[in-house]
Every structure is written in C-alpha cells, then in structure tokens.
C-alpha cells in the first residue's frame, strides 16, 4: 500500500518537475549561461557536435535551439524517473517471500497476508487440536450413580444404526440386536453401569465430528470394557439408535438415545438442560481439570450420571513455539471453550498464565471473536491460530487467520495462512519470514528513492552549468539499472541468515 500511494504521488510529481525543467531552460537557463565550456566537457560533447558550431557564439541557443535543449532535459527527467523501481519494490519482495513460504510448507494466500503478518503484535491460540495434539484419549470415566442400571439381568434393547458401528473401532460390534446376560450370571455392578453409560455416550457422539466425540467413541478403554463384558454377554454391545441429535458449538450435544434423553457436554450445557450438578461432582471434575484434562458431563433424563475426563497431550513443539514467539517480542494468549482450571494447567505447561488476561477459558465461538475485536479496538494487530469449526469466527475476525492443514475445512478456508505441515513452530517462522520480507521492501523503496533523489536533479540540468548533464539514452540505462538493483535485492532475501 505504501508503494502504491507513493507511486501515485510520484508520477504527478515527476511530470511537474519535467514541465518545470522545460520552462526553466526554455525561458531562463538558455539565456544566462555561457556555452564556452561545452568544448571541454565530454558529457555534453554530443550536443556541441550536433550544433555545428565550435564556440562561435556567446549563448547556448546558438549551440542548440532552446526548445531542443529544454525538451531534451525534460525527456531525460521523465525517462530517468520512470517509477519502475518503485513499482517493483514491493511485489518482487512479496513474490520471493511467498515462494520461500511455499517451499517451507506455509500456504500464504496473497502478498497482503504476508505484509499483514509483519504488523502482528499479538498471537492467540486455540487450545484443543491446536496447542494439543488433536488426538485426545479418555483417561477417566467416573460413574456417579451405580443405581442407574441395577437389574440382575442386563437387557439392552437397541435399534442401532449399523453405519455408525465402525466409530468404536471394533469388529465385534453387532448390528441391531438384543444383548442379554446368560441365565444365572450375577449382576455386574459398576462395570455394567459404566458399559451402558458409555454405550449411550458413544452412540450420541457418533453423530458429531468434534475431536472429543471421536475420543469417546474410539476409546481403547471402551473397547477393553466391551471385550471384558462380552464374556458374560451372549452378544456384544452395539451402538444405539439416536434421534433428534442437536449440537451447539462450544457447549455440547443432546439427543434421544435408546428412548432416553441424553446430554453430553460441559457444565453450562448440562445446567442449561435443567440438570443439577452436585458440589461433589464439581469437586471431582475440578480435580481432573487441574491435571489439564477436559471434562465432559454425561446426563441421562434429568440426572447427572457420569463424568468423562479426556486428556489431549500438548504438541511436541508447543513449548518451543511459545518461547520463540516470546523472543520475537509478541504477546501470547489462549482462548478456549474448556474449563478455566484445564486451560490454566495447559498454560502452566507452556509457561503462560503469569500475566493477567493471558488465558481466557469457558468461551463460546462468538466470545473468541469478541475478544479479538476488543484487542483490535485497542490498536493491537492480532493473529489467530486455530483448527476447528469453533475457531472460524475468530479466524475471520483476526487481522491474520492461521490454520493447521489438518483442521476442519471451514477453518482452512477462512484462514489467510495455512500451515501445511501441521507444525506450530511454523508460526514464528512465518512471522520471521514476513519481517524479513518487509525489511526487503523498505530497502527496495530506500534505494528507489535514493536513486531518484540523485538522478532527477542531474537529469533536470542542475549540474549543467558545470558541464554535467544526461541525455535521454543515458537516463534510460540508469533507469533500467535501478530496476535491476531492486529485483536483485529482493532475490537476496533467500540469503537471509534468519530464514
């Protein structure tokens, strides 16, 4: 934008200087300087020869007609000041910068994005799937009521959906069937209750695409539990039919499973359904959250039945990424829909959370976008790094949206920068590349201005009284040289030691 603005004013400025040059030499200059110096100054010798007179007169007009001399100098100004160098200063550097980014797995959607990254002073991260690996596992399944399923014989009436069975990842899953205990088998107690609750949760989560849903449905713990129970069951546990499934981003999912109203999500989602969460359950969930685990509440009908703790380890490069961004002088923040305790635990692992307002938790997707808008209103330039549907609004609101290639299609399409290799460490690398590119742009503009600052006065005849002037052909050669120097300087970006 700077180059475009300057080039716009520059064009009219050069035309004005050329007109002034013509008027000055035509009306004033050719009448006040003696031409006797022409015979001893080679830079103007061509004009002297073409005049056909060798010092036979006392005015420049006798050596060269005033209109010819004035026109020649004006043309030299226009030629030498051709704004090619200014016009090439920005696009050549951006072209080289984006090509370097592409080679390193940085899909930069336009030179304007690379230019915007340079001005970023705040980098915001989503937690789940961005700072974490995106492969969560169920670590704990705490049943709160053993009386939920306490009959002496286990009978699960299911009209399951065969197409959803693979979500459990088990070849033993049966189609629509009834699973019963063999006669004489004693009640399985807590394990039986856990199996059925998990069956309800897995069936409901099979209707969603959230990473936590996949974790619950594909959990190894569920498969192990199912395998242990099938020794006492005549048929394995299937997924159950789900009706009226309803998902709210940032909260949870609800539906009718096996004829029962089931809610699965965070505490706000459960209470929104009119279901009470006891202090004991909150304390237990808090203890899981303090370990950096994400809490999912499971309620059936009107009662909270279980707490599911899901653990998603940090990406291997998450800590080093935070350190690199801090070295670059950037403010780092985390915005997540997870519980505050979980977010703080993750923040502490990353070395964050010691500054106020550095970690915001319990957010809905629109809350993330609102926080970014407030930061922008304060004059901050924000980059948002995310990977999920819940991050789309924030990615669109940020000055620069950065998505991991393995994220959802919505996130990838919204972002201006896509990390093809799914590496967090590419975030500081992109910022370093942008800064180096912008430095090249500034250098190119400097040399273009410096060249014009020296060449235009020379072409306008400022040194003409001392026998130094430029004819249009020499001015054209200098103009080409200035453009070549700008292109060469842009190509030297590849030799930058910081990249």
């Amino acid at each position: 934008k700077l180059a475009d603005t300057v080039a716009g004013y520059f064009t009219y400025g050069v035309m004005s200087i050329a007109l002034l040059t013509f008027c000055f030499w035509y009306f004033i200059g050719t009448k006040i300087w003696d031409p006797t110096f022409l015979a001893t100054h080679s830079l103007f010798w061509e004009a002297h020869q073409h005049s056909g007179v060798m010092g036979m007169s006392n005015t420049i007009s006798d050596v060269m007609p005033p209109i010819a001399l004035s026109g020649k100098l004006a043309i030299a100004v226009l030629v030498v000041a051709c704004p090619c160098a200014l016009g090439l200063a920005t696009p050549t550097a951006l072209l080289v910068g984006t090509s370097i980014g592409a080679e390193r797995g940085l899909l930069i959607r336009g030179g304007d994005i690379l230019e915007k990254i340079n001005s970023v002073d705040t980098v915001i991260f989503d937690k789940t799937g961005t700072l974490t690996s995106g492969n969560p596992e169920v670590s704990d399944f705490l049943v709160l009521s053993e009386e939920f399923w306490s009959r002496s014989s286990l009978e699960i009436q299911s009209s399951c959906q065969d197409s959803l069975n693979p979500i459990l990842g088990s070849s033993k899953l049966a189609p629509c069937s009834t699973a019963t205990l063999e006669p004489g088998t004693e009640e399985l107690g807590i394990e039986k209750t856990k199996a059925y609750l998990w069956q309800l949760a897995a069936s409901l989560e099979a209707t969603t695409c959230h990473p936590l849903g996949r974790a619950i449905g594909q959990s190894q713990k569920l498969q192990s539990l199912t395998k242990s129970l099938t020794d006492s069951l005549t048929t394995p546990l299937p997924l159950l039919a789900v009706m009226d499934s309803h998902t709210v981003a940032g909260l949870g999912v609800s539906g009718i499973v096996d004829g029962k109203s089931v809610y699965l999500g965070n505490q706000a989602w459960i209470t929104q359904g009119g279901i009470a969460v006891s202090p004991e359950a909150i304390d237990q969930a808090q203890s899981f959250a303090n370990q950096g685990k994400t809490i999912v509440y499971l309620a059936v009908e009107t009662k909270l039945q279980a707490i599911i703790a899901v653990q998603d380890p940090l990406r291997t490069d998450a800590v080093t990424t935070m350190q690199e961004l801090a070295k670059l002088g950037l403010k780092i923040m985390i915005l997540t829909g997870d519980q505050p305790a979980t977010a703080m635990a993750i923040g502490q692992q990353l070395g964050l959370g010691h500054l106020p307002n550095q970690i915001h938790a319990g957010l809905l997707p629109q809350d993330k976008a609102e926080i970014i808008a407030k930061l922008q209103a304060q004059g901050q330039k924000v980059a948002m790094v995310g990977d999920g549907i819940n991050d789309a609004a924030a990615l669109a609101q940020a000055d620069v949206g950065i998505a991991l290639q393995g994220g959802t299609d919505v996130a990838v399409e919204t972002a201006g920068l896509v990390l093809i290799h799914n590496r967090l460490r590419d975030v500081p690398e992109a910022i370093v590349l942008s800064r180096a590119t912008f430095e090249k742009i500034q250098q190119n503009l400097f040399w273009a201005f410096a060249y014009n600052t020296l060449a235009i006065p020379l072409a306008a005849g400022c040194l003409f009284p001392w026998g130094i002037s430029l004819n249009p052909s020499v001015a054209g050669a200098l103009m080409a040289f200035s453009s070549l120097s700008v292109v060469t300087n842009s190509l030297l970006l590849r030799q930058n030691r910081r990249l």
Side-chain angles (χ1 to χ4, degrees):
K1 292 182 179 180
L2 175 62
D4 293 340
T5 302
V6 171
Y9 287 107
F10 180 81
T11 301
Y12 294 107
V14 169
M15 294 176 65
S16 300
I17 293 174
L19 180 61
L20 290 174
T21 298
F22 178 87
C23 293
F24 173 81
W25 286 106
Y26 183 76
F27 293 107
I28 302 175
T30 55
K31 296 179 173 58
I32 62 176
W33 274 286
D34 190 284
T36 55
F37 63 89
L38 296 179
T40 58
H41 291 80
S42 60
L43 285 176
F44 200 71
W45 181 247
E46 180 183 3
H48 175 71
Q49 286 183 319
H50 290 175
S51 68
V53 290
M54 299 288 290
M56 299 297 293
S57 59
N58 294 324
T59 63
I60 292 179
S61 59
D62 293 323
V63 179
M64 175 179 284
I67 191 170
L69 176 63
S70 303
K72 187 174 185 178
L73 294 176
I75 292 174
V77 170
L78 292 174
V79 172
V80 81
C82 180
C84 294
L86 285 174
L88 292 172
T90 296
T92 54
L94 291 177
L95 179 63
V96 175
T98 52
S99 65
I100 293 175
E103 293 170 1
R104 301 185 180 186
L106 303 174
L107 177 58
I108 304 171
R109 290 179 169 152
D112 59 323
I113 299 298
L114 189 61
E115 196 170 355
K116 287 179 181 178
I117 296 175
N118 173 72
S119 62
V120 166
D121 53 28
T122 302
V123 181
I124 297 177
F125 290 89
D126 168 56
K127 184 185 74 68
T128 304
T130 303
L131 291 174
T132 59
S133 65
N135 298 306
E137 285 287 339
V138 175
S139 61
D140 304 273
F141 194 104
L142 179 64
V143 176
L144 301 177
S145 174
E146 297 183 20
E147 297 178 357
F148 174 71
W149 196 261
S150 59
R151 289 177 292 176
S152 58
S153 63
L154 177 63
E155 183 176 302
I156 305 174
Q157 299 293 340
S158 62
S159 55
C160 62
Q161 302 175 18
D162 295 339
S163 62
L164 295 181
N165 283 345
I167 198 68
L168 291 177
S170 171
S171 60
K172 296 183 67 177
L173 291 175
C176 304
S177 61
T178 299
T180 62
L181 282 173
E182 294 180 350
T185 303
E186 296 182 356
E187 183 179 353
L188 297 178
I190 187 66
E191 292 301 304
K192 179 177 61 178
T193 303
K194 182 184 296 186
Y196 184 62
L197 290 174
W198 215 329
Q199 188 184 24
L200 293 176
S203 301
L204 184 57
E205 287 289 11
T207 65
T208 73
C209 59
H210 195 278
L212 297 183
R214 294 195 300 269
I216 293 174
Q218 298 174 347
S219 172
Q220 296 295 325
K221 288 181 177 291
L222 173 56
Q223 295 180 30
S224 300
L225 178 61
T226 302
K227 183 177 181 181
S228 67
L229 289 176
T230 52
D231 295 335
S232 301
L233 296 174
T234 57
T235 55
L237 299 175
L239 284 178
L240 305 173
V242 179
M243 298 176 60
D244 300 328
S245 175
H246 176 59
T247 302
V248 177
L251 290 175
V253 60
S254 65
I256 306 299
V257 185
D258 198 26
K260 300 175 179 63
S261 297
V262 179
Y263 290 83
L264 201 63
N266 58 25
Q267 184 178 344
W269 180 243
I270 298 300
T271 55
Q272 185 175 313
I275 300 168
V277 180
S278 66
E280 293 78 10
I282 294 177
D283 291 341
Q284 184 60 60
Q286 185 71 24
S287 66
F288 289 142
N290 291 337
Q291 301 173 42
K293 300 176 181 179
T294 299
I295 307 304
V296 180
Y297 292 91
L298 172 63
V300 182
E301 298 297 352
T302 59
K303 188 174 182 179
L304 182 64
Q305 296 293 344
I307 296 176
I308 306 173
V310 181
Q311 192 161 32
D312 193 4
L314 286 174
R315 292 179 180 268
T316 55
D317 57 351
V319 176
T320 55
T321 298
M322 299 301 113
Q323 294 172 346
E324 290 297 323
L325 291 175
K327 290 179 181 178
L328 293 173
L330 298 169
K331 179 182 178 181
I332 306 171
M333 296 176 62
I334 297 177
L335 302 183
T336 178
D338 217 331
Q339 295 187 7
T342 303
M344 288 301 299
I346 294 296
Q348 289 175 0
Q349 296 179 44
L350 295 170
L352 305 176
H354 56 280
L355 296 176
N357 299 321
Q358 198 168 28
I359 299 177
H360 297 261
L363 303 175
L364 296 176
Q366 58 268 28
D367 296 332
K368 297 180 181 180
E370 289 175 1
I371 290 176
I372 292 176
K374 290 179 180 179
L375 293 174
Q376 292 172 325
Q378 298 170 7
Q380 298 185 40
K381 302 296 183 180
V382 181
M384 173 69 191
V385 187
D387 74 315
I389 295 176
N390 294 350
D391 304 321
L395 290 171
Q397 178 64 47
D399 296 282
V400 180
I402 304 175
L404 282 75
Q405 192 273 336
T408 62
D409 292 341
V410 174
V412 172
E413 289 299 322
T414 305
L417 170 62
V418 181
L419 308 181
I420 300 299
H421 296 151
N422 280 323
R423 301 180 307 206
L424 281 183
R425 69 172 182 267
D426 286 341
V427 175
E429 184 172 336
I431 294 174
V432 171
L433 174 61
S434 176
R435 291 182 176 181
T437 302
F438 194 73
E439 286 179 4
K440 281 298 177 184
I441 292 175
Q442 291 177 317
Q443 291 174 11
N444 289 344
L445 291 174
F446 169 79
W447 289 116
F449 276 118
Y451 158 79
N452 283 290
T453 300
L454 296 176
I456 290 178
L458 183 61
C462 289
L463 299 182
F464 190 87
W466 294 272
I468 300 176
S469 67
L470 296 178
N471 60 43
S473 60
V474 175
L478 290 177
M479 181 272 294
F481 176 77
S482 69
S483 299
L484 181 62
S485 64
V486 166
V487 174
T488 302
N489 189 51
S490 296
L491 292 174
L492 290 176
L493 179 61
R494 292 183 173 275
Q495 307 303 320
N496 193 308
R497 296 182 179 180
R498 294 178 297 172
L499 300 179

